[in-house]
Amino acid sequence: MTTAGGSTSPIAVLANQALARVATRQARVPLDEIKARALDRPTPLNGKEALGSEQIVVVAELDPAHSAPGELAEEYEAGGAGVIAVPIRPGANGVGSSLTAMNDANVHTHTPLLCMDPVVSSYQLWEARAHGASLVLLSASTLHDEALVSLVERAATIGLTAVVEVCSARDLVRSLRAKAHTLFLRPPQYVADGSIQIQATLAKLLPLVPNGVVRVTECGSTPRRDLISSAKLDADAILVGRTHLAEGTPRQAVADLVAVGSHPALARRREQAV
């Protein structure tokens, strides 16, 4: 991907870096081997169904560096998290430790896991499934149309739910053309006033999303307020960062947000919007 002047765009640089990291992992574990590991796993849980509850779903972000990620995932599950997101940390051992954390979470819970490593290669789909994921993240802004269509289709064929990150109306149109049925709506860049940016993005994009497409957003600096605002804008789920779940006990932090999301006033608002 190049700009009009012929220089490589920042997005293309990030995509190429991601491809290089995937190539390194594939050199260690060939595609045939990772496929075999994936197919030895039980069928992935239904990620779209988990995000499509009658009340707004809390997606709890796991800390892959936690000393006991499986136990932390258990706490999230006990608190009522509908999905657990596992961020992937680049670096010398970051990816490996993150995938190990996801595998541990899968062993300890029955909650669908979202692998947050943005997919640029079909290898990552098999890799995510091999480590227990039910959902995978694709970033519309970093993928060409053909790649976006191909990866959304490929994810479905191996039992994974593709969650497509959308940061603009253009991303949205391209994602819908690729037949994406689960979207992660977020601002193009996180800033200090993240909550304001997130709500502005939602207010702009949500009215453009057709019925039947699952809409996931994220919280900024105020999870409770952001959850209420997102529910009123008819989002289906909200990703809550691990820093917001570290105060007090993780189980209670999740349970408190789940309780807010189940308030009858929000439920009535959502029913009217259907």
Side-chain angles (χ1 to χ4, degrees), residues 24-263:
T24 299
R25 301 205 297 274
Q26 189 169 350
R28 291 197 299 265
V29 183
L31 179 59
D32 287 346
E33 182 176 340
I34 204 70
K35 278 186 178 182
R37 292 184 188 179
L39 294 173
D40 276 343
R41 288 272 190 177
T43 302
L45 300 172
N46 191 321
K48 182 183 179 184
E49 185 177 273
L51 293 170
S53 171
E54 292 181 3
Q55 68 187 59
I56 188 165
V57 173
V58 173
V59 179
E61 184 186 57
L62 190 73
D63 181 359
H66 192 277
S67 58
E71 293 178 11
L72 180 59
E74 283 183 340
E75 289 293 297
Y76 287 170
E77 183 177 66
V83 170
I84 297 172
V86 184
I88 304 297
R89 302 177 301 146
N93 297 312
V95 172
S97 63
S98 298
L99 292 173
T100 299
M102 185 161 60
N103 192 69
D104 196 22
N106 176 254
V107 169
H108 283 78
T109 70
H110 299 286
T111 299
L113 304 178
L114 166 60
C115 180
M116 295 290 286
D117 186 23
V119 174
V120 294
S121 163
S122 60
Y123 180 86
Q124 290 166 279
L125 300 177
W126 291 106
E127 184 180 54
R129 176 169 171 175
H131 288 85
S134 294
L135 308 95
V136 289
L137 182 69
L138 280 66
S139 177
S141 63
T142 61
L143 295 169
H144 293 294
D145 289 345
E146 297 81 1
L148 183 58
V149 171
S150 175
L151 289 170
V152 168
E153 291 179 348
R154 190 59 176 152
T157 63
I158 66 174
L160 299 173
T161 297
V163 180
V164 181
E165 180 186 75
V166 167
C167 301
S168 66
R170 181 175 180 273
D171 285 349
L172 176 59
V173 170
R174 295 177 59 242
S175 299
L176 295 175
R177 285 177 179 168
K179 301 189 185 317
H181 56 63
T182 306
L183 304 179
F184 181 28
L185 306 164
R186 67 192 314 192
Q189 186 174 6
Y190 185 84
V191 291
D193 57 344
S195 295
I196 296 173
Q197 294 293 320
I198 289 167
Q199 297 309 316
T201 300
L202 283 179
K204 176 182 177 182
L205 295 178
L206 275 173
L208 305 177
V209 180
N211 291 335
V213 176
V214 174
R215 292 149 287 191
V216 184
T217 184
E218 65 181 336
C219 72
S221 56
T222 54
R224 180 188 177 95
R225 186 177 68 187
D226 292 340
L227 184 146
I228 293 171
S229 299
S230 296
K232 288 181 176 179
L233 288 167
D234 202 35
D236 294 290
I238 184 167
L239 172 66
V240 183
R242 58 188 180 272
T243 57
H244 298 301
L245 301 175
E247 301 173 3
T249 65
R251 179 187 305 202
Q252 193 60 50
V254 172
D256 288 346
L257 291 172
V258 171
V260 171
S262 63
H263 192 281

